[in-house]
Amino acid sequence: MRFNLVTGMSILNFIVLGVPALAEISEPTNVRVERTDTPMGQVTSVSQLKDVQPTDWAFAALQSLVERYGCIAGYPGNFYQGNGALTRYEFAAGLNACLQRVNELIATATSDLVHTEDLVTIKRLQKEFATELTTLRGRVDSLESHTAQLEANQFSTTTKLSGQVIIAANSGTFSGERIISATGQEIARSNPNTTVLYRVALDLDTSFFGTDQLKIRIDTGSYNGNDNAAGLLEPTFGSVLDYSVKPPTNNNLGLARLYYTFKPLSDLVVSVGPEIRTTDYVDRNSYAYLSFRDFSTLAFVNNYILFPVNGPSAGAAVDWNPGAGALTIRALYAAAEAANPGNQGIIRGAAPFTQLLYPNAGGEQGLFGDTYQGTVELEYAPSRAFAVRLQYSGGELFNNHYDAFGANFEFAFSPKIAIFGRYGYGNYNNTNFGDIKPNYWMAGVAFPDLFYPGALAGIAVGQPFIANEIGNSTQTNFEGFYNFRVSDNIQVSPSIQVISNSANQNTNGTIVTGTLRTVFSF
């Protein structure tokens, strides 16, 4: 039997009003309200319930239950939801609360609050709902047991363990006889084989005061960019899949993040650590920033010429949002190979295009060595629908100075469609091609909740490295993707990349790659 109360009837009004036998109450035929909220807790005055008025026919009954017996709970926002239907178990839960309160009053015996007619009604209800009350007590006991077990076996009281696994099937082809690099070396004469690439990351997030975070990330990946067709055929100007080169590893387990974040002021966040990534802190975008969720092309995830240092580095970052207003100022300093005080060995952490500009890269290493990046960003975001960010980046790159300027914007016309884009202009000195001033741009359209709540689709086009000194044309990248959630922990994204005039060479045929990306989060 399913028991429903409608038209404003309280789940416990029966106690005060006196009702006929429960078997005489029938199912409503045209009213059903789904309740997904969780109770807000005990109500001490009927005036706390926003949707209960003195003119309601059951107002007096509710007032008695609340102020006389104290056994009514509301829902978030101080709503009673009196028109909702309920199951026998829900009724039993409310009845149990009132029974406990009545027993307390009887035990104290300091007043005549419990009337004889109420006790008669309570006994009838106890008898009718004996099975449900027993089941309810059993469920509570079981829940308490499970809670105790979780508390006894939890990983840590201060540390949270989470993880992410990316598995992607990738295949690609190109037109023409061969693909050559920006300097004319042959890269391929035949299509690369279909591959399956992966990335695994485990995060340990620890908080000591509730407003701070110590992050430790351990991760591994497949083959550092060569495991996808775009990265193999065009490895220099950002066509590689971003999550394939971050981490830069080849099936080796390594430390990918180690930093501590704290808030010296309520609107100021500071991060410092020996293992950070510059792209974690600036140049964010709601539609083109997370390669495990949206675009996979490295040059679409961030402003390509703004981050010559985009890999392992050490340093600090600040994020200041005065008064939680529309303006935010961010700044960072990051040094590659900060743990090595000498000047020998390969300097990791530099972007792929830097190997083209400085093939004989070198210089002093260490925290204040010859390869570092300083970046400042000013963001204006008056609402969630619009944001613009202006950026400056400068520093040393293998003992050569560079400067770069950037802009980043996003605008949502509606909850279902938005546009976004980036622009960059840089100045790199003493490169293998002389002093060059490359440009960068990308733009796209995003479609949140397309076909399915929580889904995201996007299309983008861009030219990652416009420089007349390199090649005889300008590379253009395209990508389209659709991300949808299979569950809270699984999301799947098919995507297509198209690259024309790769490596800024007009003799290269068009490259087309397809990827099916699956992300598992836990």
Side-chain angles (χ1 to χ4, degrees), residues 2-26:
R2 181 177 178 79
F3 174 63
N4 295 283
L5 306 180
V6 295
T7 63
M9 180 72 77
S10 158
I11 61 171
L12 296 175
N13 285 349
F14 295 83
I15 298 177
V16 174
L17 295 179
V19 296
L22 295 176
E24 297 174 8
I25 301 176
S26 61

Side-chain angles (χ1 to χ4, degrees), residues 303-306 391 403-408 421-427 437-442 463-466:
N303 189 324
Y304 195 54
I305 64 175
L306 196 68
Q391 304 137 336
D403 297 282
F405 301 86
N408 171 332
R422 291 185 175 97
Y423 174 76
Y425 171 79
N427 179 25
K437 302 181 185 300
N439 285 259
Y440 157 94
W441 68 270
M442 67 86 67
Q463 293 181 313
F465 210 88
I466 306 171

